[in-house]
Amino acid sequence: MVSRIIPVDPFDLVIFGGTGDLARRKILPGLYRRFLAGQMPEDARIIGAARSELDDDAYRAFVRDAVDEFVRPDRKDVGQIDAFLSRLHYVTIDAKGTGGWQELAGLMRDGVIRSFYFSVAPGLFGDLAERLHDHDIADADSRIVVEKPFGRDLSSAKALNATLAEHFNESQIYRIDHYLGKETVQNLMAVRFGNVLFEPLWNSQYVDHIQITVAETVGVGGRGSYYDRSGAMRDMVQNHLMQLLCLIAMEPPSRFNPDAVRDEKLKVIRALEPVEPYQIVRGQYQADADGPSYREDVENPRSLTESFIAMKLHVSNWRWAGTPFYLRTGKRLRARASEIAVVFKDAPHSIFGDEAGHHRNILTIRLQPDEGMTLGVTIKEPGPGGMRLIDVPLDMTFAEALGPESEEIPDAYERLIMDVIRGNQTLFMRGDEVEAAWSWTDPIIEGWEARGDAPKPYEPGTAGPEESQMLMHREGRRWREIR
Ligand code: NAP
């Protein structure tokens, strides 16, 4: 199979926050990989912008180190690094000040796509948008990319949308959620809407329930003060888990285009039944030999913020009436694993009897660490001894199906940045989606705050608090193992 790399049009990409953690770990290494893949045209340029006093050479040295550290050795081409670095420039700029803006304006070229990645704190988005406009740096075809968190509740998200809308149309704003850039997430849409096999079964008649798990082994690390003001609901559920839920639950869009897809996702969020705050399991990790407790990590001995969450949701429409969606996410859990499991119902009648054993079909969409999809199907255990049934996974893992080419699959950030240059917003969140998601989460968070509920403690290295297991057990179901 020969992969088709289609170069994008010439561009100037300005990375505000070009010296920050995200730029160093994800954005710049990702751009280097797209360069190696041949997707960057000859005259594409990348301009780092931040307050640090650097010149082009010093910035190139910074990016060389970033590539060294964050691109796997087998994915590097040492001979190409200088060619990549020659595309890079740097401007010292203050988002809130006046210095650097004229220089940036002078650097921008006509006739190429101008994109601006806001990889800075959200408090600076408005300043950047305003100055780009005032200095005539952004034109009607320019794009801006904004990072999460997109607000911390409905009113702040609305304010942020309004600020950006003063200078940019919705079609120019790319709200990034890197979960949507994952190969498997897009493959989920291909599997659902490119085959006749799944869609007829994709409803409450055949699906018993759906589980979405995003488990991390790490604690809050150096992000303690930010995280303690957010918690798992704001940091993970309102954006990443909600987006995954939308892709699983949405109706088939009429076309695979940005507004058709996002209209359908929005309908899912709007169809979510409200959940009472007390119905949600919240947890906080304790200390163990490997690390401090959540409260120690965030240096707040009385913190009531959750580092774990588990909940049951209902999508109130014809397709999903009666099928629960279970979502959970947490830090310092047993393994780093993100997956969606679509658990189908039992066959209506077992002709083989109980002794043959019984298995359910489960479609598993794994986002990390190894992206891939498997469908568990029941077959006869080979050999003599009568009819005994076993469950075998039909593997749709990319490494298997695509062989060495799967090495070339771009990671989420790479793909999404190229989508920005192409002007394709399908995998980015629209302003109304973000607001609808906050509308659903706000009353829950307000309820917790009003009640002063303390999250349940849980042992690190486990699957979270016992109450999370109970959420499933009392309905005769169980979570899939985190491994
Ligand atoms: P960071 O490491 O703190 O970097 C912030 C960047 O902004 C630096 O380059 C800093 O450089 C620049 N900056 C700060 N104040 C500035 C100003 N007034 N004018 C111009 N530049 C300024 O933050 P980060 O982790 O890269 O995160 C950037 C954004 O991405 C945040 O919105 C964050 O929430 C989001 N995000 C990050 C991650 C991640 O993994 N890091 C993941 C998801 C989302 P100077 O100090 O030199 O100005």
Side-chain angles (χ1 to χ4, degrees):
M1 201 186 315
V2 177
S3 61
R4 285 174 301 145
I5 301 282
I6 303 167
V8 295
D9 289 335
F11 63 84
D12 281 346
L13 169 65
V14 180
I15 308 172
F16 292 110
T19 56
D21 176 67
L22 185 67
R24 206 167 64 86
R25 285 192 306 111
K26 293 289 181 187
I27 304 172
L28 292 159
L31 286 163
Y32 169 66
R33 297 227 317 121
R34 288 299 90 208
F35 171 80
L36 285 188
Q39 207 165 15
M40 225 176 257
E42 275 293 304
D43 45 2
R45 287 191 322 177
I46 299 155
I47 301 161
R51 290 168 308 176
S52 304
E53 305 267 350
L54 303 176
D55 58 15
D56 285 353
D57 284 344
Y59 192 57
R60 287 172 186 160
F62 167 86
V63 177
R64 186 190 292 274
D65 289 347
V67 166
D68 258 356
E69 191 173 349
F70 295 106
V71 180
R72 273 180 21 196
D74 57 325
R75 295 189 178 189
K76 270 185 236 173
D77 182 341
V78 180
Q80 295 278 338
I81 182 76
D82 287 328
F84 172 69
L85 294 177
S86 71
R87 312 289 184 91
L88 290 160
H89 301 273
Y90 183 81
V91 183
T92 301
I93 219 163
D94 186 345
K96 285 186 169 299
T98 50
W101 289 97
Q102 282 306 342
E103 189 189 342
L104 181 61
L107 267 180
M108 304 306 290
R109 298 171 298 169
D110 290 330
V112 301
I113 294 159
R114 297 181 179 190
S115 297
F116 304 94
Y117 201 126
F118 291 8
S119 183
V120 294
L124 297 175
F125 291 177
D127 297 297
L128 291 177
E130 194 179 312
R131 282 163 177 73
L132 285 173
H133 178 259
D134 291 352
H135 289 86
D136 272 338
I137 298 173
D139 56 28
D141 193 37
S142 296
R143 291 117 213 216
I144 57 169
V145 185
V146 293
E147 268 294 341
K148 83 166 202 184
F150 201 85
R152 54 173 282 109
D153 53 21
L154 178 59
S155 71
S156 54
K158 275 187 166 167
L160 205 44
N161 276 335
T163 303
L164 296 180
E166 281 175 31
H167 304 296
F168 294 94
N169 296 325
E170 182 61 36
S171 64
Q172 298 178 283
I173 303 171
Y174 290 70
R175 293 175 197 79
I176 207 161
D177 183 326
H178 68 275
Y179 275 63
L180 296 184
K182 292 195 177 281
E183 185 73 17
T184 348
V185 167
Q186 290 158 77
N187 202 21
L188 165 64
M189 289 190 272
V191 164
R192 268 194 75 185
F193 305 129
N195 297 286
V196 291
L197 288 181
F198 293 99
E199 206 44 31
L201 306 178
W202 209 261
N203 55 53
S204 58
Q205 198 182 340
Y206 294 102
V207 177
D208 179 73
H209 72 278
I210 288 166
Q211 302 185 13
I212 303 179
T213 298
V214 176
E216 297 177 283
T217 50
V218 292
V220 297
R223 299 166 68 218
S225 65
Y226 155 75
Y227 193 91
D228 202 38
R229 281 180 281 115
S230 303
M233 187 68 139
R234 286 191 172 102
D235 190 51
M236 296 299 292
V237 177
Q238 185 273 345
N239 38 56
H240 306 314
L241 276 81
M242 201 73 100
Q243 288 293 319
L244 297 178
L245 169 80
C246 285
L247 294 176
I248 284 281
M250 72 182 183
E251 296 299 314
S254 57
R255 309 192 68 78
F256 190 61
N257 76 24
D259 276 331
V261 170
R262 298 185 300 176
D263 285 348
E264 296 306 335
K265 283 163 58 197
L266 179 62
K267 285 184 207 162
V268 174
I269 304 175
R270 290 191 172 149
L272 283 177
E273 277 181 16
V275 177
E276 292 297 330
Y278 68 86
Q279 292 173 320
I280 295 179
V281 178
R282 300 166 74 223
Q284 249 182 15
Y285 58 82
Q286 302 293 90
D288 72 354
D290 295 328
S293 69
Y294 173 82
R295 289 180 175 189
E296 287 161 344
D297 263 346
V298 301
E299 296 174 8
N300 179 1
R302 281 200 281 277
S303 172
L304 297 179
T305 304
E306 74 286 349
S307 63
F308 175 96
I309 213 163
M311 65 177 93
K312 179 171 102 166
L313 304 185
H314 282 286
V315 178
S316 200
N317 61 19
W318 273 53
R319 183 186 286 266
W320 294 117
T323 295
F325 289 73
Y326 297 95
L327 272 51
R328 70 178 161 165
T329 181
K331 295 195 171 294
R332 297 229 49 209
L333 298 179
R334 185 176 300 131
R336 174 172 173 261
S338 299
E339 67 162 44
I340 305 169
V342 181
V343 181
F344 289 91
K345 289 187 173 170
D346 290 339
H349 168 65
S350 166
I351 64 170
F352 304 111
D354 285 347
E355 59 282 6
H358 125 274
H359 301 274
R360 278 183 161 177
N361 299 121
I362 302 180
L363 176 68
T364 312
I365 300 127
R366 194 167 170 92
L367 307 178
Q368 57 194 22
D370 315 306
E371 284 199 59
M373 266 194 219
T374 53
L375 176 65
V377 290
T378 299
I379 62 163
K380 177 188 172 298
E381 189 177 335
M387 181 61 86
R388 289 191 312 273
L389 304 180
I390 54 168
D391 186 34
V392 290
L394 282 187
D395 203 339
M396 297 183 255
T397 306
F398 309 116
E400 299 275 321
L402 301 180
E405 273 184 32
S406 65
E407 291 292 302
E408 299 310 321
I409 292 174
D411 97 346
Y413 273 96
E414 296 171 37
R415 174 190 313 277
L416 292 173
I417 295 170
M418 291 298 113
D419 279 356
V420 174
I421 308 294
R422 282 194 207 94
N424 185 345
Q425 290 184 303
T426 310
L427 299 174
F428 295 81
M429 296 180 292
R430 210 168 51 191
D432 52 3
E433 276 182 81
V434 176
E435 290 182 13
W438 283 121
S439 297
W440 187 82
T441 50
D442 267 7
I444 298 170
I445 296 171
E446 283 160 15
W448 292 334
E449 285 170 1
R451 291 159 54 100
D453 287 344
K456 311 283 181 208
Y458 63 92
E459 291 289 321
T462 65
E466 192 52 32
E467 287 77 359
S468 162
Q469 306 301 327
M470 295 303 299
L471 180 79
M472 295 290 245
H473 288 178
R474 63 175 170 249
E475 298 180 351
R477 300 187 173 104
R478 59 193 164 87
W479 287 110
R480 287 167 55 76
E481 238 179 87
I482 295 177
R483 57 194 157 82

